[in-house]
Amino acid sequence: MVVLCDGMIRSGSTWSFNVALELARSAEPHRRVFGFYNENPAVLFAACRPRFSNLVIKSHGLHPSAYELCRAGAIQAIYTWRDPYDVVVSSMRMFGRSVDHWIGALRNALRVWSFHRATGSACIVSYESIIRAPLASVNSIACYLGLQVEPQQMGQIAKATSLEQLKSFSQQVNDLEQARLIRKDGYVYDRQTLLHQNHIRDGGFGFGAGLLDSEHLSKIDTLLREEGFEFLCTPADGRPSIPQAEPKPLGAME
């Protein structure tokens, strides 16, 4: 089995990656399970060759050349999504770069979601459900992947991958043995969980629209309409009023 966790950035895709790993280990302990991050479509094609092991791959993109792998069921995708305004603000907080850069990344993520929606080729999980109903979210992934896991084990997986547990672990990543660490783009990652220092903050949602100026709100609204996701637009009259003279720091509410 090949599982692809290809959700939006900062939407819980690392959570889905770890959940898929634990489910595969619990349901099929006789098979080895490998997990890693890669966005190269050639790797997906290679992963789909006959094998006895299970693979879980995290990626924030899905090249059109690999669409048929998902359509045919050669790849089982898990797509996590989050309030688009929160995605942009949370990405800026974590990685820097401009608002426009992350709006562009959001467009690419929405196009992957559009493909999965049109073809029914993914288990779609919202960030809010991960936070509010973690056990139900884990169960939905297990059902989608066709993995039989005992209720007690399911509860243990939900607990082990809870926001609190992953946040606590991420804060200690730099203290792991060097063989487990990957250093890339100024970050230190745990190669087993793909978590990095301060990977998880407060896990909030619904804060992004109140921290963006009117120009960028309009750009995101336009993007959502263009890509067929108008239902994700935040009504203008429902947005917190942020005085322009005294802007709140990004992430203050996350």
Side-chain angles (χ1 to χ4, degrees):
M1 178 176 64
V2 180
V3 181
L4 177 66
C5 302
D6 62 353
M8 295 178 180
I9 192 168
R10 305 295 294 158
S11 70
S13 56
T14 305
W15 171 87
S16 68
F17 172 83
N18 282 284
V19 166
L21 285 173
E22 292 304 319
L23 287 171
R25 290 174 180 138
S26 296
E28 300 181 332
H30 57 290
R31 296 180 187 269
R32 296 187 67 184
V33 183
F34 300 95
F36 55 89
Y37 182 96
N38 199 288
E39 295 194 350
N40 186 342
V43 172
L44 291 181
F45 282 95
C48 292
R49 295 170 184 163
R51 65 178 64 250
F52 186 72
S53 59
N54 290 317
L55 296 183
V56 182
I57 303 171
K58 178 185 169 183
S59 173
H60 288 303
L62 178 63
H63 194 274
S65 65
Y67 281 5
E68 187 55 36
L69 295 175
C70 293
R71 287 194 191 94
I75 289 176
Q76 306 294 313
I78 304 170
Y79 186 93
T80 51
W81 69 276
R82 188 178 188 177
D83 176 286
Y85 311 91
D86 293 357
V87 166
V88 171
V89 172
S90 184
S91 298
M92 288 181 64
R93 284 191 65 203
M94 180 59 67
F95 303 111
R97 299 191 178 183
S98 67
V99 176
D100 289 329
H101 172 87
W102 295 115
I103 291 176
L106 176 62
R107 184 184 294 277
N108 292 334
L110 290 174
R111 290 179 175 175
V112 174
W113 190 1
S114 289
F115 163 72
H116 287 315
R117 290 174 70 198
T119 59
S121 58
C123 177
I124 310 296
V125 184
S126 73
Y127 182 83
E128 187 170 348
S129 71
I130 293 171
I131 301 300
R132 294 179 183 254
L135 181 57
S137 298
V138 171
N139 186 63
S140 68
I141 291 174
C143 290
Y144 173 76
L145 297 178
L147 296 175
Q148 301 296 319
V149 178
E150 294 296 326
Q152 182 179 0
Q153 288 180 299
M154 197 81 75
Q156 291 173 345
I157 292 171
K159 182 177 181 180
T161 58
S162 67
L163 176 72
E164 294 77 15
Q165 289 294 325
L166 294 182
K167 181 178 180 180
S168 176
F169 182 84
S170 73
Q171 293 171 342
Q172 303 171 49
V173 163
N174 288 357
D175 298 327
L176 296 173
E177 59 185 30
Q178 292 300 307
R180 281 188 60 163
L181 301 180
I182 301 172
R183 301 178 188 277
K184 184 179 179 181
D185 300 329
Y187 289 88
V188 180
Y189 295 82
D190 170 31
R191 66 174 66 248
Q192 293 185 21
T193 64
L194 299 186
L195 290 166
H196 58 76
Q197 188 82 25
N198 297 320
H199 195 127
I200 300 171
R201 306 226 175 179
D202 297 329
F205 41 85
F207 59 88
L211 296 172
L212 293 165
D213 60 32
S214 59
E215 176 186 356
H216 289 117
L217 288 172
S218 179
K219 285 185 177 181
I220 295 174
D221 291 347
T222 298
L223 163 63
L224 293 173
R225 294 188 181 98
E226 289 175 349
E227 298 297 332
F229 289 88
E230 186 173 359
F231 64 92
L232 293 179
C233 289
T234 298
D237 59 3
R239 293 170 181 159
S241 176
I242 306 299
Q244 293 301 308
E246 297 179 353
K248 292 186 179 181
L250 288 175
M253 298 171 60
E254 185 177 4

